[in-house]
Amino acid sequence: MAASVLLACGLNEQKLPGFVHISEESNVDGSFLISCILGQRLRISNAGTLLVCLQHHYQHYFNAGMRLGYNCNIFLGKTLNVIDVLSDMANEGFDSKWLKTADGLTLTEQLIEDIRAQLASNYSNRNSYTILIDNLSILFNLGASKVQVQQFCQSLAALAKEYENLTVITKLSNSDIHQLTDNNVAKLGNVRIQVLRLKSGVFREVDGKLLIERVLDEGSYACEETRKEVLYKVNDRNVKIFNPGEVGVKV
Amino acid sequence: MRSFRNRTVQKPIRGTRTSPHTAQVITSSGNPSLDTILGGGLPIGSIFLCEEDRFVTHAKVLAKYFLAEGVLSKQKIFLGSLDDLPAEMLRRLPRPLTDVEVEVEQREEQEAQSEPLDKNGLRIAWRYNDLPLVNSEQAPTKIGHHFNLMEHMDPKKLYYANTTVWDGYKTIGVQEDISSSSTSVNEAPKEMQEIWDGFIQSVEALADGENNNEQSEGTASNTNTTNTTTTTTTTDTQSSSVIDPNMFHNSRYGRLLQDIQQLLRDKSFNPGAKKNLCRVCLTSLGSPLWYDEHFGEDLLKFLTILMASVRSCNSVCFITMPMHLIAKYDTTLVPKIRQLVDYAVELESFAGSDRETHPAFKEYSGLLHLHKMTALNTLAVHMPETTDLAFKLRRKKFVIEKLHLPPELQESSSSTASNDIMGPAKCGGNVLPINSNQASASLDF
């Protein structure tokens, strides 16, 4: 269902790089990538996953997962744990801990505390662990500053180095607007996936473009990296990948 | 133990149906042609953003359709606005058409289209006579109602509607559940009539009060934070949680959000309960009346929390925003706002522009730009047949059609004229704004 897109991004293996960043341009929806990665991680036996829902509810990922052929609810509470910020804000209203700076903690500090707590209780039982954060730009909307978001991502990258077999995957939408933060966060890891719109407009058979940048060897003087560009189309139950030039206008 | 189990089919919420394409529960936006573009209707839990035209004529019409549909479907309605008088807007909702009227109207339209062909008759390409007429109007699906914009809705229907209005000063609600009422619409009890009269009087008082305020404020700043107290009238909108003063710089956002959240927390809107649907309509959100020094921060925070609330229960939200003004305030706000909604549609009216008199667009009132459609609770988003859309505001209804240019413009230099108006050709140029420096770039595939 989503194997081709994961293969293109190099995320189809059991052991993933420590920090992966997904940059999403304005007017492009890259949340299908989160659903694809989530499905792949859940299928690996004894691999733990923590989903931090900032843009969509857990229910969205459940429904999208059902379309891709996996059921999140089976894994929920076992190998899958969720920090659903949106649901919490909806249920608690203005008393939600994400809206009040209780205990002198900022929003990002509160979030990293929760992630650490989840990690402490679940990491030891698992062979590998993945933290998926679906949209960092929501943190800006909720009042976090650029520095706070940057520090938050640095803390996550530090966790990835501290724990073996821990992968952190972040996504930032409107990356063209938050360019500075986007570049700084991308520098924390070795893999960066950019979800770009088609410059020439809209095409029925292609939704957008994925630009995958992977640092192979970061030497003292030169940095060896690969760049790969593929086109994607999100269908009802799968995601298709095309190489540039493969798809043409049918007359 | 029997393996057989009785099949229990859960009753759908009034005015909703399950989409055969996405298996999502959808509800009508009130306008059949808009529903078709959206793939049948608005999914429950979604936010629809209508970017207002410059004279705010057409966006208001769509908002009225949305509200009128809610009234007819006996759904809960929340209407909030600083620019308009919400109660007054409610009183001017369009009248619903009966099935017979809808049939008559459709027959008349068909006859009107077929008449000129019959008269002229095709002599050369006569075989085309047998082909059915192309109807470029987005075909309506069987959901929602049809309305007549020329006439107003019966006040008795509104009287029984489950409505809460917010105008920045007071929250007023008229709540009567018609299903629990044994009396007929024509025999409304006197007590209820008194409540309705009081409601109307309060609306008029509000109108006077607002006018007085406007006069007294003069050119002073619109960020009035001292004289606004949330008053509850005949509703259950009592404050339960205290708003943190640091949360919003403009306290109006906090109060509006608190009222909406309080309403949405009702058990009947619980996703599991599937009893009723709440329609939240906010008109002219982000207009100059909302401006202050921290306008952008407050607006984005408000929309984020609103998004969280709307998605957590059985509700749909319709927002109109003057995006052309917001873009002048801060250009980066536009994509940020669009990211927080599920559907973003811009109405570009021809009123006051060169296109108003141009022969290519004489049939249309404006263009409809589809900026965003999100795959909510699903993987792939529904894409309409075409994204080149235009709208017409007819006497009785608002219609969205595929944009058709006439076969040949009368001017001799028609191609150059049409290029001047349309700009350079591009694939689906309506959907995404393309930077001028990228417009000349080669195709990506």
Side-chain angles (χ1 to χ4, degrees):
Chain A
M1 302 285 183
S4 56
V5 68
L6 293 170
L7 186 69
C9 298
L11 301 175
N12 60 328
E13 293 159 18
Q14 289 214 358
K15 186 172 174 17
L16 295 180
F19 194 95
V20 178
H21 180 61
I22 301 167
S23 309
E24 188 185 88
E25 231 182 2
S26 299
N27 286 320
V28 175
D29 189 7
S31 57
F32 71 93
L33 275 176
I34 299 286
S35 298
C36 293
I37 296 166
L38 180 65
Q40 194 263 351
R41 300 318 291 170
L42 291 178
R43 283 195 181 103
I44 300 169
S45 64
N46 206 29
T49 309
L50 174 65
L51 178 65
V52 182
C53 301
L54 285 163
Q55 186 183 7
H56 290 292
H57 283 288
Y58 166 72
Q59 200 61 28
H60 166 83
Y61 292 106
F62 165 72
N63 287 315
M66 291 300 278
R67 296 261 156 188
L68 284 171
Y70 64 89
N71 187 345
C72 287
N73 281 352
I74 295 172
F75 305 97
L76 190 63
K78 295 166 191 166
T79 57
L80 173 65
N81 299 100
V82 178
I83 299 176
D84 201 339
V85 177
L86 287 189
S87 290
D88 193 54
M89 283 197 300
N91 296 334
E92 302 293 323
F94 292 114
D95 298 329
S96 169
K97 63 180 176 183
W98 309 110
L99 297 174
K100 280 190 172 176
T101 51
D103 308 328
L105 291 176
T106 60
L107 170 69
T108 49
E109 285 169 349
Q110 181 70 54
L111 195 55
I112 199 77
E113 282 296 311
D114 280 25
I115 290 170
R116 280 205 182 105
Q118 288 280 353
L119 208 54
S121 58
N122 297 314
Y123 176 77
S124 55
N125 309 326
R126 307 290 166 213
N127 293 338
S128 62
Y129 205 82
T130 310
I131 300 170
L132 280 163
I133 298 170
D134 76 349
N135 201 342
L136 292 171
S137 67
I138 297 292
L139 297 175
F140 290 120
N141 297 346
L142 292 174
S145 64
K146 281 180 188 173
V147 177
Q148 284 173 347
V149 174
Q150 181 69 32
Q151 283 172 346
F152 171 69
C153 292
Q154 277 173 345
S155 307
L156 289 172
L159 282 178
K161 282 175 187 162
E162 188 184 335
Y163 292 88
E164 203 183 342
N165 289 334
L166 175 72
T167 302
V168 177
I169 299 173
T170 56
K171 187 173 74 110
L172 178 77
S173 48
N174 291 331
S175 61
D176 45 344
I177 297 169
H178 307 292
Q179 209 165 11
L180 187 69
T181 310
D182 184 49
N183 286 334
N184 287 340
V185 174
K187 283 282 174 200
L188 296 170
N190 291 335
V191 181
R192 180 189 198 177
I193 302 164
Q194 292 187 59
V195 189
L196 308 167
R197 63 171 177 253
L198 298 177
K199 280 182 281 186
S200 49
V202 176
F203 184 32
R204 189 167 281 278
E205 290 176 38
V206 176
D207 284 342
K209 195 192 296 180
L210 293 176
L211 179 63
I212 302 128
E213 293 169 325
R214 185 182 280 259
V215 177
L216 299 174
D217 183 25
E218 203 167 2
S220 308
Y221 299 104
C223 176
E224 192 187 338
E225 64 172 23
T226 58
R227 284 163 66 92
K228 189 177 172 186
E229 205 175 281
V230 289
L231 304 169
Y232 71 88
K233 168 72 184 168
V234 183
N235 292 317
D236 198 26
R237 290 181 183 274
N238 59 22
V239 183
K240 282 190 176 171
I241 292 294
F242 309 99
N243 288 317
E246 192 181 331
V247 186
V249 180
K250 289 168 192 162
V251 185
Chain B
M1 187 181 156
R2 288 191 311 164
S3 61
F4 176 78
R5 282 183 188 174
N6 286 329
R7 192 178 169 193
T8 51
V9 180
Q10 205 171 9
K11 256 178 86 176
I13 305 168
R14 279 180 303 230
T16 65
R17 72 177 172 97
T18 307
S19 165
H21 305 294
T22 59
Q24 284 180 286
V25 183
I26 53 172
T27 186
S28 172
S29 66
N31 186 285
S33 48
L34 182 61
D35 283 345
T36 312
I37 290 163
L38 301 176
L42 289 166
I44 287 186
S46 63
I47 300 180
F48 182 92
L49 170 67
C50 181
E51 299 178 14
E52 289 173 357
D53 45 305
R54 283 175 198 278
F55 300 108
V56 210
T57 318
H58 305 99
K60 265 186 194 168
V61 172
L62 281 182
K64 282 178 186 172
Y65 270 119
F66 179 78
L67 293 167
E69 181 61 38
V71 172
L72 281 198
S73 304
K74 295 164 194 171
Q75 293 162 349
K76 176 78 188 169
I77 290 170
F78 182 95
L79 173 59
S81 181
L82 275 186
D83 291 50
D84 307 305
L85 279 175
E88 187 61 29
M89 195 172 166
L90 274 179
R91 282 203 292 180
R92 290 171 189 271
L93 293 184
R95 182 180 73 82
L97 295 179
T98 58
D99 291 344
V100 180
E101 285 175 319
V102 173
E103 268 182 38
V104 169
E105 192 180 79
Q106 284 173 349
R107 207 179 304 137
E108 280 174 0
E109 275 179 17
Q110 281 176 357
E111 283 169 8
Q113 282 179 344
S114 60
E115 263 176 22
L117 250 185
D118 293 341
K119 279 177 188 170
N120 297 328
L122 293 171
R123 280 178 294 177
I124 298 171
W126 52 272
R127 277 177 184 272
Y128 286 108
N129 273 334
D130 299 335
L131 292 176
L133 283 168
V134 176
N135 185 9
S136 57
E137 180 182 339
Q138 301 298 298
T141 48
K142 188 62 193 164
I143 186 172
H145 300 83
H146 294 258
F147 298 93
N148 181 355
L149 290 172
M150 290 281 283
E151 295 172 43
H152 293 164
M153 193 181 271
D154 184 4
K156 280 175 186 166
K157 273 204 174 75
L158 287 170
Y159 163 64
Y160 281 106
N162 210 346
T163 313
T164 305
V165 294
W166 182 94
D167 68 345
Y169 300 95
K170 285 180 182 178
T171 305
I172 302 169
V174 174
Q175 295 180 334
E176 288 299 329
D177 191 0
I178 197 161
S179 60
S180 63
S181 173
S182 58
T183 53
S184 69
V185 176
N186 294 328
E187 295 169 357
K190 282 182 181 176
E191 288 174 5
M192 287 184 178
Q193 193 59 49
E194 283 167 9
I195 294 172
W196 176 247
D197 291 340
F199 174 62
I200 298 297
Q201 280 170 8
S202 64
V203 168
E204 285 163 0
L206 273 175
D208 295 340
E210 192 154 281
N211 290 337
N212 292 338
N213 272 339
E214 280 172 8
Q215 284 168 3
S216 61
E217 279 173 8
T219 55
S221 167
N222 285 317
T223 57
N224 192 345
T225 54
T226 52
N227 65 344
T228 53
T229 51
T230 306
T231 311
T232 305
T233 315
T234 68
T235 58
D236 53 353
T237 53
Q238 288 166 359
S239 305
S240 63
S241 58
V242 182
I243 308 167
D244 186 357
N246 298 325
M247 194 170 291
F248 291 104
H249 297 94
N250 185 344
S251 60
R252 281 171 175 166
Y253 288 104
R255 287 202 307 275
L256 175 59
L257 203 54
Q258 194 179 32
D259 287 349
I260 294 171
Q261 281 188 336
Q262 198 153 14
L263 187 73
L264 295 181
R265 261 186 231 128
D266 193 292
K267 280 179 186 171
S268 59
F269 307 129
N270 198 312
K274 286 200 171 178
K275 283 181 182 170
N276 202 357
L277 180 81
C278 183
R279 282 178 184 251
V280 180
C281 181
L282 306 174
T283 60
S284 297
L285 182 71
S287 69
L289 287 178
W290 291 90
Y291 281 7
D292 68 352
E293 286 175 12
H294 304 275
F295 168 69
E297 287 170 44
D298 279 354
L299 185 63
L300 291 175
K301 192 184 257 189
F302 172 82
L303 286 172
T304 308
I305 304 170
L306 180 71
M307 177 181 77
S309 302
V310 169
R311 285 191 182 167
S312 301
C313 59
N314 293 334
S315 59
V316 281
C317 185
F318 186 100
I319 304 174
T320 70
M321 287 176 109
M323 209 58 101
H324 57 284
L325 295 178
I326 292 173
K328 279 178 184 162
Y329 183 90
D330 184 359
T331 323
T332 60
L333 270 178
V334 176
K336 286 178 186 173
I337 289 168
R338 282 183 192 152
Q339 196 237 321
L340 293 170
V341 298
D342 300 303
Y343 295 92
V345 164
E346 183 192 347
L347 299 177
E348 185 197 339
S349 171
F350 293 151
S353 74
D354 296 341
R355 292 180 179 185
E356 192 176 10
T357 50
H358 195 275
F361 298 112
K362 66 180 178 188
E363 282 187 27
Y364 306 112
S365 308
L367 296 178
L368 188 136
H369 302 283
L370 207 55
H371 286 298
K372 192 190 175 188
M373 293 181 91
T374 307
L376 183 67
N377 292 328
T378 184
L379 198 64
V381 65
H382 163 83
M383 281 302 286
E385 200 181 334
T386 177
T387 51
D388 294 322
L389 298 162
F391 62 85
K392 289 178 189 175
L393 184 58
R394 290 184 185 158
R395 273 191 324 126
K396 290 183 180 176
K397 63 178 181 178
F398 183 93
V399 186
I400 301 168
E401 293 183 352
K402 287 179 212 168
L403 176 65
H404 285 296
L405 291 178
E408 191 180 352
L409 297 178
Q410 285 181 348
E411 288 85 353
S412 56
S413 59
S414 58
S415 59
T416 53
S418 62
N419 278 344
D420 289 345
I421 294 297
M422 292 297 290
K426 57 197 175 192
C427 302
N430 272 346
V431 176
L432 297 171
I434 297 170
N435 295 341
S436 56
N437 58 345
Q438 291 175 342
S440 59
S442 60
L443 290 172
D444 301 88
F445 40 82

